[in-house]
Protein backbone atom coordinates (compact mmCIF):
# COMPACT_ATOMS: atom_id res chain seq x y z
CA UNK A 1 0.00 0.00 0.00
CA UNK A 2 1.42 3.38 -0.92
CA UNK A 3 1.43 6.36 1.42
CA UNK A 4 -1.90 8.08 1.62
CA UNK A 5 -3.69 5.26 -0.11
CA UNK A 6 -5.68 4.44 3.02
CA UNK A 7 -7.67 7.55 2.16
CA UNK A 8 -8.68 6.01 -1.13
CA UNK A 9 -9.44 2.83 0.71
CA UNK A 10 -11.59 4.46 3.33
CA UNK A 11 -13.08 7.40 1.53
CA UNK A 12 -13.71 5.80 -1.86
CA UNK A 13 -16.95 4.01 -2.63
CA UNK A 14 -17.18 0.88 -0.53
CA UNK A 15 -18.76 -1.86 -2.53
CA UNK A 16 -19.06 -4.47 0.18
CA UNK A 17 -16.99 -7.12 1.85
CA UNK A 18 -17.58 -9.64 -0.99
CA UNK A 19 -16.51 -7.03 -3.51
CA UNK A 20 -16.59 -8.60 -6.99
CA UNK A 21 -16.51 -12.19 -5.68
CA UNK A 22 -18.23 -14.62 -8.05
CA UNK A 23 -20.71 -17.05 -6.64
CA UNK A 24 -22.60 -19.78 -8.45
CA UNK A 25 -25.76 -20.25 -6.43
CA UNK A 26 -27.35 -23.64 -7.07
CA UNK A 27 -31.04 -23.87 -6.22
CA UNK A 28 -32.60 -27.32 -5.98
CA UNK A 29 -36.24 -28.33 -5.62
CA UNK A 30 -37.32 -27.84 -2.04
CA UNK A 31 -39.84 -25.48 -0.45
CA UNK A 32 -36.95 -23.52 1.12
CA UNK A 33 -36.20 -22.31 -2.45
CA UNK A 34 -38.63 -19.47 -1.73
CA UNK A 35 -35.89 -17.99 0.51
CA UNK A 36 -33.18 -18.21 -2.14
CA UNK A 37 -34.04 -14.93 -3.93
CA UNK A 38 -33.48 -13.20 -0.59
CA UNK A 39 -30.14 -15.00 -0.30
CA UNK A 40 -29.19 -13.62 -3.73
CA UNK A 41 -30.00 -10.12 -2.47
CA UNK A 42 -27.88 -10.60 0.68
CA UNK A 43 -24.95 -11.75 -1.44
CA UNK A 44 -25.37 -8.93 -3.95
CA UNK A 45 -25.60 -6.29 -1.22
CA UNK A 46 -22.27 -7.60 0.10
CA UNK A 47 -20.77 -6.89 -3.33
CA UNK A 48 -20.88 -10.39 -4.88
CA UNK A 49 -21.78 -11.30 -8.46
CA UNK A 50 -24.26 -14.16 -8.37
CA UNK A 51 -25.01 -16.61 -11.17
CA UNK A 52 -28.06 -18.70 -10.29
CA UNK A 53 -28.25 -22.28 -11.55
CA UNK A 54 -31.61 -23.98 -10.99
CA UNK A 55 -32.53 -27.62 -11.19
CA UNK A 56 -35.80 -28.55 -12.87
CA UNK A 57 -37.25 -29.28 -9.40
CA UNK A 58 -36.38 -25.76 -8.23
CA UNK A 59 -38.35 -24.28 -11.13
CA UNK A 60 -41.47 -25.90 -9.66
CA UNK A 61 -41.11 -23.65 -6.61
CA UNK A 62 -39.73 -20.32 -7.87
CA UNK A 63 -39.61 -18.86 -11.37
CA UNK A 64 -36.27 -18.15 -13.05
CA UNK A 65 -37.53 -14.61 -13.68
CA UNK A 66 -37.48 -13.92 -9.93
CA UNK A 67 -33.81 -14.89 -9.73
CA UNK A 68 -32.99 -12.97 -12.88
CA UNK A 69 -34.54 -9.85 -11.36
CA UNK A 70 -32.52 -10.03 -8.13
CA UNK A 71 -29.23 -11.28 -9.60
CA UNK A 72 -29.26 -9.23 -12.81
CA UNK A 73 -28.18 -12.35 -14.72
CA UNK A 74 -30.05 -14.83 -16.80
CA UNK A 75 -30.57 -18.04 -14.88
CA UNK A 76 -28.85 -21.22 -16.10
CA UNK A 77 -30.69 -24.50 -15.86
CA UNK A 78 -30.04 -27.02 -18.59
CA UNK A 79 -26.84 -28.77 -19.47
CA UNK A 80 -28.04 -29.03 -23.07
CA UNK A 81 -28.80 -25.33 -23.65
CA UNK A 82 -26.75 -24.53 -26.76
CA UNK A 83 -27.34 -20.74 -26.65
CA UNK A 84 -26.26 -20.47 -23.01
CA UNK A 85 -23.32 -22.83 -23.59
CA UNK A 86 -22.17 -20.68 -26.50
CA UNK A 87 -22.13 -17.58 -24.23
CA UNK A 88 -20.32 -19.33 -21.36
CA UNK A 89 -19.81 -23.09 -21.34
CA UNK A 90 -20.45 -25.03 -18.16
CA UNK A 91 -16.71 -25.56 -17.80
CA UNK A 92 -16.08 -21.80 -18.09
CA UNK A 93 -18.81 -21.25 -15.52
CA UNK A 94 -17.15 -23.77 -13.20
CA UNK A 95 -13.86 -21.85 -13.60
CA UNK A 96 -15.60 -18.48 -13.19
CA UNK A 97 -16.87 -19.32 -9.69
CA UNK A 98 -15.00 -18.33 -6.53
CA UNK A 99 -17.56 -20.39 -4.62
CA UNK A 100 -20.37 -22.80 -5.52
CA UNK A 101 -23.15 -22.60 -2.95
CA UNK A 102 -26.18 -24.89 -3.19
CA UNK A 103 -29.10 -23.51 -1.16
CA UNK A 104 -31.41 -25.22 -0.64
CA UNK A 105 -29.75 -28.59 -1.14
CA UNK A 106 -32.34 -31.39 -1.14
CA UNK A 107 -31.71 -34.93 0.09
CA UNK A 108 -31.78 -36.02 -3.55
CA UNK A 109 -29.15 -33.48 -4.58
CA UNK A 110 -26.88 -34.45 -1.65
CA UNK A 111 -27.18 -38.08 -2.76
CA UNK A 112 -26.29 -37.13 -6.35
CA UNK A 113 -23.33 -35.05 -5.21
CA UNK A 114 -21.99 -37.74 -2.89
CA UNK A 115 -21.99 -40.16 -5.84
CA UNK A 116 -20.39 -37.68 -8.23
CA UNK A 117 -23.36 -37.74 -10.59
CA UNK A 118 -23.12 -35.22 -13.40
CA UNK A 119 -26.46 -35.61 -15.12
CA UNK A 120 -27.54 -32.03 -14.41
CA UNK A 121 -25.85 -28.69 -15.03
CA UNK A 122 -25.51 -28.10 -11.27
CA UNK A 123 -24.08 -31.58 -10.65
CA UNK A 124 -21.57 -31.04 -13.46
CA UNK A 125 -20.52 -27.65 -12.09
CA UNK A 126 -19.92 -29.10 -8.63
CA UNK A 127 -17.60 -31.72 -10.14
CA UNK A 128 -15.86 -29.40 -12.58
CA UNK A 129 -15.06 -26.50 -10.25
CA UNK A 130 -11.83 -25.97 -8.35
CA UNK A 131 -13.62 -23.49 -6.07
CA UNK A 132 -14.96 -24.44 -2.62
CA UNK A 133 -18.39 -26.11 -2.71
CA UNK A 134 -20.90 -25.49 0.07
CA UNK A 135 -24.36 -26.94 0.58
CA UNK A 136 -27.21 -25.71 2.76
CA UNK A 137 -29.40 -28.77 3.34
CA UNK A 138 -33.16 -28.30 3.62
CA UNK A 139 -35.53 -31.18 4.09
CA UNK A 140 -38.00 -32.89 6.37
CA UNK A 141 -36.40 -33.85 9.69
CA UNK A 142 -36.91 -37.58 9.12
CA UNK A 143 -35.21 -37.32 5.74
CA UNK A 144 -32.29 -35.49 7.37
CA UNK A 145 -32.06 -38.12 10.13
CA UNK A 146 -32.23 -41.01 7.65
CA UNK A 147 -28.98 -43.03 7.71
CA UNK A 148 -28.72 -42.77 3.91
CA UNK A 149 -28.71 -38.96 4.08
CA UNK A 150 -26.36 -39.03 7.09
CA UNK A 151 -23.91 -41.25 5.19
CA UNK A 152 -24.05 -39.00 2.11
CA UNK A 153 -23.43 -35.91 4.21
CA UNK A 154 -20.53 -37.57 6.05
CA UNK A 155 -18.96 -38.49 2.72
CA UNK A 156 -19.38 -34.95 1.37
CA UNK A 157 -17.84 -33.50 4.52
CA UNK A 158 -14.92 -35.91 4.27
CA UNK A 159 -14.36 -34.73 0.70
CA UNK A 160 -14.20 -31.11 1.80
CA UNK A 161 -17.72 -29.98 0.93
CA UNK A 162 -18.85 -27.38 3.48
CA UNK A 163 -22.18 -28.27 5.03
CA UNK A 164 -23.93 -25.14 6.30
CA UNK A 165 -26.64 -26.05 8.81
CA UNK A 166 -29.33 -27.23 8.72
CA UNK A 167 -31.11 -25.35 11.46
CA UNK A 168 -33.70 -26.64 13.90
CA UNK A 169 -37.31 -25.47 14.05
CA UNK A 170 -40.76 -25.74 12.60
CA UNK A 171 -40.88 -27.10 9.07
CA UNK A 172 -43.13 -26.46 6.08
CA UNK A 173 -44.45 -30.02 6.43
CA UNK A 174 -45.78 -29.20 9.91
CA UNK A 175 -43.12 -31.16 11.78
CA UNK A 176 -40.46 -29.73 14.06
CA UNK A 177 -36.83 -30.73 14.08
CA UNK A 178 -33.50 -30.48 12.31
CA UNK A 179 -33.67 -29.85 8.58
CA UNK A 180 -34.54 -26.18 8.07
CA UNK A 181 -32.36 -24.24 5.68
CA UNK A 182 -30.31 -21.58 7.48
CA UNK A 183 -31.66 -18.05 7.06
CA UNK A 184 -30.33 -16.03 4.09
CA UNK A 185 -28.30 -13.60 6.24
CA UNK A 186 -26.55 -16.47 8.06
CA UNK A 187 -25.87 -18.19 4.74
CA UNK A 188 -24.46 -15.02 3.20
CA UNK A 189 -22.14 -14.59 6.20
CA UNK A 190 -21.07 -18.22 6.03
CA UNK A 191 -20.42 -17.90 2.29
CA UNK A 192 -18.27 -14.85 2.97
CA UNK A 193 -16.16 -16.83 5.42
CA UNK A 194 -15.54 -19.51 2.79
CA UNK A 195 -14.27 -17.15 0.13
CA UNK A 196 -10.53 -16.78 -0.19
CA UNK A 197 -9.69 -13.33 1.14
CA UNK A 198 -7.34 -10.99 -0.58
CA UNK A 199 -6.19 -7.63 0.62
CA UNK A 200 -3.22 -5.77 2.02
CA UNK A 201 -3.24 -7.85 5.23
CA UNK A 202 -3.46 -11.28 3.55
CA UNK A 203 -0.98 -13.57 5.26
CA UNK A 204 -0.81 -11.35 8.38
CA UNK A 205 -2.28 -12.35 11.73
CA UNK A 206 -4.19 -9.84 13.82
CA UNK A 207 -5.08 -10.48 17.46
CA UNK A 208 -7.87 -8.37 18.96
CA UNK A 209 -9.39 -8.14 22.44
CA UNK A 210 -13.01 -7.00 22.74
CA UNK A 211 -15.90 -6.57 25.12
CA UNK A 212 -15.98 -6.21 28.89
CA UNK A 213 -14.55 -8.56 31.48
CA UNK A 214 -16.41 -9.88 34.53
CA UNK A 215 -14.66 -10.05 37.87
CA UNK A 216 -16.24 -12.36 40.38
CA UNK A 217 -17.48 -11.13 43.77
CA UNK A 218 -19.18 -14.41 44.72
CA UNK A 219 -20.70 -17.27 42.68
CA UNK A 220 -23.70 -15.15 41.60
CA UNK A 221 -22.29 -11.60 41.38
CA UNK A 222 -19.61 -9.87 39.42
CA UNK A 223 -18.20 -6.43 38.59
CA UNK A 224 -18.26 -5.44 34.95
CA UNK A 225 -18.75 -2.38 32.72
CA UNK A 226 -20.96 -1.06 29.94
CA UNK A 227 -18.82 -2.13 26.98
CA UNK A 228 -20.94 -3.82 24.30
CA UNK A 229 -17.95 -5.11 22.32
CA UNK A 230 -19.39 -3.56 19.14
CA UNK A 231 -16.26 -1.58 18.26
CA UNK A 232 -13.96 -4.56 18.77
CA UNK A 233 -16.16 -6.83 16.69
CA UNK A 234 -16.36 -4.21 13.94
CA UNK A 235 -12.54 -3.88 13.99
CA UNK A 236 -12.24 -7.69 13.74
CA UNK A 237 -14.56 -7.74 10.75
CA UNK A 238 -12.69 -4.85 9.09
CA UNK A 239 -9.34 -6.63 9.62
CA UNK A 240 -10.77 -9.77 8.05
CA UNK A 241 -12.07 -7.75 5.10
CA UNK A 242 -8.50 -6.54 4.53
CA UNK A 243 -7.42 -10.16 4.26
CA UNK A 244 -5.97 -10.75 7.75
CA UNK A 245 -6.26 -13.95 9.74
CA UNK A 246 -8.11 -12.64 12.76
CA UNK A 247 -8.34 -14.02 16.29
CA UNK A 248 -10.79 -12.27 18.60
CA UNK A 249 -10.43 -12.76 22.35
CA UNK A 250 -13.82 -11.74 23.60
CA UNK A 251 -15.39 -11.02 26.96
CA UNK A 252 -19.11 -11.78 27.42
CA UNK A 253 -21.07 -9.95 24.72
CA UNK A 254 -24.27 -10.43 22.81
CA UNK A 255 -22.81 -10.29 19.29
CA UNK A 256 -22.32 -12.69 16.39
CA UNK A 257 -18.77 -13.62 15.46
CA UNK A 258 -17.84 -11.83 12.21
CA UNK A 259 -17.56 -14.30 9.34
CA UNK A 260 -14.15 -15.88 8.97
CA UNK A 261 -12.97 -14.67 12.38
CA UNK A 262 -11.71 -17.11 15.02
CA UNK A 263 -13.16 -16.29 18.43
CA UNK A 264 -11.94 -17.28 21.89
CA UNK A 265 -14.43 -16.61 24.70
CA UNK A 266 -13.18 -15.50 28.10
CA UNK A 267 -14.76 -13.97 31.15
CA UNK A 268 -12.18 -12.45 33.48
CA UNK A 269 -9.21 -10.13 32.90
CA UNK A 270 -6.91 -12.98 33.92
CA UNK A 271 -8.49 -15.35 31.37
CA UNK A 272 -8.23 -12.65 28.70
CA UNK A 273 -4.57 -12.18 29.54
CA UNK A 274 -3.94 -15.96 29.44
CA UNK A 275 -5.61 -16.23 26.02
CA UNK A 276 -3.63 -13.27 24.67
CA UNK A 277 -0.36 -14.71 26.02
CA UNK A 278 -1.11 -18.00 24.27
CA UNK A 279 -1.86 -16.29 20.94
CA UNK A 280 0.32 -13.21 20.77
CA UNK A 281 3.58 -14.82 19.63
CA UNK A 282 1.88 -15.75 16.33
CA UNK A 283 0.39 -12.28 15.76
CA UNK A 284 1.92 -9.41 13.81
CA UNK A 285 -0.66 -6.87 14.96
CA UNK A 286 -2.31 -6.61 18.39
CA UNK A 287 -5.33 -4.36 18.89
CA UNK A 288 -6.70 -3.92 22.41
CA UNK A 289 -10.29 -2.71 22.22
CA UNK A 290 -11.49 -4.58 25.32
CA UNK A 291 -12.74 -2.68 28.35
CA UNK A 292 -10.70 -4.77 30.77
CA UNK A 293 -11.50 -4.34 34.45
CA UNK A 294 -8.65 -2.46 36.08
CA UNK A 295 -9.45 -3.99 39.49
CA UNK A 296 -10.96 -7.23 40.71
CA UNK A 297 -12.17 -8.36 44.15
CA UNK A 298 -9.12 -9.59 46.08
CA UNK A 299 -10.97 -12.42 47.77
CA UNK A 300 -14.04 -13.55 45.84
CA UNK A 301 -16.37 -15.46 48.15
CA UNK A 302 -16.83 -19.15 47.41
CA UNK A 303 -20.42 -19.00 48.70
CA UNK A 304 -23.10 -16.41 47.99
CA UNK A 305 -22.69 -13.37 50.24
CA UNK A 306 -25.80 -12.96 52.44
CA UNK A 307 -27.10 -9.50 53.38
CA UNK A 308 -26.48 -9.81 57.11
CA UNK A 309 -24.56 -6.56 57.59
CA UNK A 310 -25.56 -2.92 56.97
CA UNK A 311 -22.58 -2.25 54.79
CA UNK A 312 -20.15 -4.28 52.79
CA UNK A 313 -16.53 -3.49 52.03
CA UNK A 314 -15.07 -4.94 48.90
CA UNK A 315 -11.30 -5.02 48.74
CA UNK A 316 -10.00 -4.80 45.19
CA UNK A 317 -6.65 -5.49 43.58
CA UNK A 318 -5.18 -4.49 40.21
CA UNK A 319 -5.55 -6.76 37.24
CA UNK A 320 -2.76 -7.24 34.73
CA UNK A 321 -2.61 -4.55 32.03
CA UNK A 322 -2.77 -6.78 28.96
CA UNK A 323 -1.96 -4.04 26.47
CA UNK A 324 1.06 -2.87 28.43
CA UNK A 325 2.30 -6.43 28.87
CA UNK A 326 2.10 -7.10 25.12
CA UNK A 327 3.89 -3.83 24.31
CA UNK A 328 6.75 -4.81 26.69
CA UNK A 329 7.42 -8.14 24.96
CA UNK A 330 10.82 -8.64 23.34
CA UNK A 331 9.39 -9.62 19.95
CA UNK A 332 6.34 -7.47 20.15
CA UNK A 333 3.74 -7.14 17.42
CA UNK A 334 2.56 -3.78 16.11
CA UNK A 335 0.53 -2.57 19.10
CA UNK A 336 -2.65 -0.51 18.97
CA UNK A 337 -4.51 0.63 22.08
CA UNK A 338 -7.80 2.34 22.69
CA UNK A 339 -8.60 5.12 25.10
CA UNK A 340 -11.96 6.32 26.24
CA UNK A 341 -11.71 9.71 27.89
CA UNK A 342 -14.20 12.19 29.29
CA UNK A 343 -11.95 15.28 29.36
CA UNK A 344 -8.65 16.59 27.94
CA UNK A 345 -9.11 13.70 25.54
CA UNK A 346 -6.00 13.98 23.37
CA UNK A 347 -3.74 15.02 26.23
CA UNK A 348 -4.59 11.90 28.22
CA UNK A 349 -4.41 9.71 25.13
CA UNK A 350 -0.93 10.95 24.16
CA UNK A 351 0.27 10.26 27.68
CA UNK A 352 -1.14 6.73 27.40
CA UNK A 353 0.53 6.22 24.02
CA UNK A 354 3.93 6.96 25.59
CA UNK A 355 3.33 5.28 28.94
CA UNK A 356 2.15 2.03 27.42
CA UNK A 357 4.75 2.07 24.61
CA UNK A 358 2.11 1.82 21.85
CA UNK A 359 2.47 2.32 18.10
CA UNK A 360 -0.98 3.84 17.73
CA UNK A 361 -3.83 4.86 19.96
CA UNK A 362 -7.46 5.30 18.94
CA UNK A 363 -9.30 7.73 21.17
CA UNK A 364 -12.92 8.44 21.67
CA UNK A 365 -14.72 10.75 24.00
CA UNK A 366 -17.17 9.09 26.36
CA UNK A 367 -19.85 10.42 28.66
CA UNK A 368 -22.87 12.57 27.77
CA UNK A 369 -24.33 9.66 25.78
CA UNK A 370 -21.14 9.24 23.71
CA UNK A 371 -19.23 6.02 23.12
CA UNK A 372 -20.46 3.16 25.25
CA UNK A 373 -23.07 0.73 24.06
CA UNK A 374 -23.93 2.77 20.99
CA UNK A 375 -23.76 2.04 17.28
CA UNK A 376 -21.99 5.24 16.30
CA UNK A 377 -18.83 6.78 17.56
CA UNK A 378 -16.21 9.48 16.90
CA UNK A 379 -12.56 8.51 16.79
CA UNK A 380 -9.20 10.29 16.59
CA UNK A 381 -6.02 8.26 16.04
CA UNK A 382 -2.70 9.43 17.46
CA UNK A 383 0.87 8.22 17.04
CA UNK A 384 4.36 9.41 17.91
CA UNK A 385 5.92 12.69 16.82
CA UNK A 386 2.58 14.44 16.78
CA UNK A 387 0.93 12.05 14.30
CA UNK A 388 -2.81 12.57 14.27
CA UNK A 389 -5.72 11.56 12.08
CA UNK A 390 -9.40 12.19 12.63
CA UNK A 391 -11.59 9.40 11.36
CA UNK A 392 -14.66 11.58 11.47
CA UNK A 393 -18.05 10.50 12.67
CA UNK A 394 -19.94 7.43 11.63
CA UNK A 395 -21.24 4.06 12.64
CA UNK A 396 -18.82 1.79 14.48
CA UNK A 397 -18.68 -0.40 11.36
CA UNK A 398 -17.63 2.52 9.15
CA UNK A 399 -15.15 3.90 11.70
CA UNK A 400 -13.67 0.44 12.25
CA UNK A 401 -13.01 0.12 8.49
CA UNK A 402 -11.34 3.53 8.41
CA UNK A 403 -9.31 2.68 11.49
CA UNK A 404 -8.24 -0.72 10.15
CA UNK A 405 -7.19 0.82 6.82
CA UNK A 406 -5.04 3.33 8.71
CA UNK A 407 -3.56 0.62 10.97
CA UNK A 408 -2.79 -1.52 7.89
CA UNK A 409 -1.05 1.37 6.17
CA UNK A 410 1.06 2.37 9.17
CA UNK A 411 1.89 -1.22 10.15
CA UNK A 412 2.94 -2.18 6.60
CA UNK A 413 4.99 1.03 6.27
CA UNK A 414 6.74 0.29 9.58
CA UNK A 415 7.76 -3.16 8.28
CA UNK A 416 9.19 -1.97 5.00
N1 LIG B 1 -6.24 -2.47 28.70
C1 LIG B 1 -5.73 -3.75 28.79
N2 LIG B 1 -5.68 -4.39 30.01
C2 LIG B 1 -6.11 -3.77 31.12
C3 LIG B 1 -6.64 -2.46 31.02
C4 LIG B 1 -6.67 -1.85 29.79
O1 LIG B 1 -5.36 -4.33 27.76
N3 LIG B 1 -6.07 -4.40 32.28
C5 LIG B 1 -6.24 -1.79 27.39
C6 LIG B 1 -7.59 -1.53 26.82
O2 LIG B 1 -8.03 -2.58 25.98
C7 LIG B 1 -7.38 -0.25 26.01
C8 LIG B 1 -6.38 0.49 26.86
O3 LIG B 1 -5.69 -0.50 27.59
O4 LIG B 1 -6.77 -0.49 24.78
C9 LIG B 1 -7.05 1.45 27.79
O5 LIG B 1 -6.14 1.89 28.72
P1 LIG B 1 -6.52 2.08 30.25
O6 LIG B 1 -5.26 2.35 30.98
O7 LIG B 1 -7.39 1.00 30.75
O8 LIG B 1 -7.43 3.28 30.17
P2 LIG B 1 -8.11 3.85 31.40
O9 LIG B 1 -8.71 2.79 32.26
O10 LIG B 1 -9.02 4.89 30.86
O11 LIG B 1 -6.83 4.37 32.12
P3 LIG B 1 -6.68 5.54 33.14
O12 LIG B 1 -7.30 5.04 34.38
O13 LIG B 1 -5.20 5.66 33.19
O14 LIG B 1 -7.37 6.69 32.47
Amino acid sequence: MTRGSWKTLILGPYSGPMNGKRIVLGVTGGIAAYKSPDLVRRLVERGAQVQVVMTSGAREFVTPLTFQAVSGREVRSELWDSAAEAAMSHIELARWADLVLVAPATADFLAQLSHGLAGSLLGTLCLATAAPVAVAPAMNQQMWANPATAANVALLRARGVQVLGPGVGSQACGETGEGRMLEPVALADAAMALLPVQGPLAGHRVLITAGPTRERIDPVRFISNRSSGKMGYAVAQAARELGAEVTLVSGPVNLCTPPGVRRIDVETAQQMNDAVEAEVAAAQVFIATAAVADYRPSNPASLKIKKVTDSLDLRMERTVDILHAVAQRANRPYVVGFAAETNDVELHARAKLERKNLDLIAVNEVGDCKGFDRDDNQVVVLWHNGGRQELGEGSKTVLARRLMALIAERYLAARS
Side-chain angles (χ1 to χ4, degrees):
M1 203 186 279
T2 53
R3 266 192 87 70
S5 61
W6 70 272
K7 289 185 180 146
T8 334
L9 229 164
I10 68 174
L11 300 176
Y14 186 75
S15 51
M18 291 173 115
N19 190 9
K21 289 290 187 301
R22 297 180 294 210
I23 296 179
V24 165
L25 176 66
V27 183
T28 69
I31 180 61
Y34 84 90
K35 293 183 183 171
S36 301
D38 189 31
L39 172 57
V40 175
R41 294 199 56 214
R42 303 293 156 213
L43 294 168
V44 168
E45 75 189 10
R46 285 164 170 73
Q49 302 175 54
V50 182
Q51 172 64 59
V52 175
V53 176
M54 299 177 81
T55 63
S56 53
R59 297 165 78 110
E60 300 292 326
F61 289 93
V62 188
T63 68
L65 195 60
T66 307
F67 283 110
Q68 186 177 320
V70 288
S71 69
R73 286 168 176 267
E74 209 170 312
V75 169
R76 296 286 297 265
S77 230
E78 302 298 327
L79 194 49
W80 314 116
D81 180 339
S82 52
E85 281 290 307
M88 190 196 276
S89 76
H90 61 278
I91 297 297
E92 283 171 313
L93 187 53
R95 287 195 195 122
W96 176 86
D98 292 314
L99 171 72
V100 176
L101 169 63
V102 184
T106 58
D108 181 61
F109 183 76
L110 296 176
Q112 286 178 41
L113 191 58
S114 68
H115 286 86
L117 298 184
S120 65
L121 175 60
L122 187 57
T124 308
L125 287 173
C126 289
L127 288 190
T129 190
V133 175
V135 293
M139 66 196 74
N140 163 274
Q141 49 103 12
Q142 287 287 358
M143 292 172 78
W144 176 251
N146 190 291
T149 307
N152 290 335
V153 169
L155 195 55
L156 291 173
R157 279 205 174 103
R159 289 182 183 151
V161 172
Q162 297 289 326
V163 181
L164 309 175
V168 182
S170 65
Q171 301 198 302
C173 53
E175 295 179 17
T176 301
E178 206 176 356
R180 278 170 64 95
M181 187 171 85
L182 293 185
E183 293 304 318
V185 169
L187 283 176
D189 284 346
M192 205 156 94
L194 293 173
L195 286 164
V197 275
Q198 287 141 7
L201 291 182
H204 300 262
R205 282 189 286 262
V206 176
L207 178 64
I208 299 170
T209 63
T213 62
R214 287 180 180 170
E215 309 303 328
R216 211 173 97 149
I217 299 171
D218 70 12
V220 294
R221 302 180 180 95
F222 56 80
I223 292 176
S224 191
N225 59 64
R226 285 174 55 194
S227 167
S228 65
K230 283 178 184 162
M231 193 63 189
Y233 275 58
V235 169
Q237 178 168 335
R240 179 67 185 156
E241 287 167 9
L242 292 181
E245 267 178 56
V246 183
T247 301
L248 183 60
V249 179
S250 174
V253 295
N254 195 11
L255 297 170
C256 297
T257 310
V261 167
R262 182 172 150 249
R263 167 169 157 183
I264 300 171
D265 285 325
V266 296
E267 206 165 295
T268 65
Q270 189 57 48
Q271 288 168 357
M272 187 171 274
N273 185 58
D274 293 347
V276 166
E277 274 197 353
E279 298 289 329
V280 71
Q284 286 86 42
V285 179
F286 175 69
I287 308 173
T289 76
V292 188
D294 291 322
Y295 294 90
R296 66 173 169 227
S298 309
N299 295 305
S302 56
L303 298 175
K304 185 180 164 195
I305 300 171
K306 304 297 280 180
K307 50 178 178 305
V308 287
T309 54
D310 286 341
S311 64
L312 178 72
D313 289 329
L314 209 53
R315 192 175 170 76
M316 309 274 277
E317 64 186 20
R318 283 290 293 271
T319 58
V320 55
D321 188 325
I322 303 169
L323 178 60
H324 187 250
V326 168
Q328 296 309 116
R329 290 176 68 93
N331 261 329
R332 81 204 259 287
Y334 190 84
V335 180
V336 181
F338 266 71
E341 306 287 350
T342 54
N343 59 301
D344 297 324
V345 173
E346 292 192 28
L347 202 69
H348 286 307
R350 276 210 182 276
K352 208 166 283 181
L353 177 78
E354 304 294 339
R355 195 171 66 239
K356 293 204 184 191
N357 189 29
L358 310 180
D359 293 298
L360 220 63
I361 191 159
V363 199
N364 65 312
E365 197 175 337
V366 290
D368 290 342
C369 306
K370 291 179 195 146
F372 279 121
D373 206 12
R374 290 174 58 90
D375 288 326
D376 52 359
N377 213 341
Q378 199 172 358
V379 176
V380 179
V381 184
L382 307 174
W383 58 93
H384 298 283
N385 302 322
R388 179 182 191 280
Q389 180 66 54
E390 283 184 26
L391 298 184
E393 282 186 47
S395 70
K396 286 183 178 173
T397 310
V398 166
L399 288 176
R401 284 189 183 126
R402 293 177 183 170
L403 173 64
M404 240 358 270
L406 181 57
I407 292 173
E409 191 212 29
R410 296 204 58 80
Y411 153 68
L412 292 171
R415 281 167 58 96
S416 57

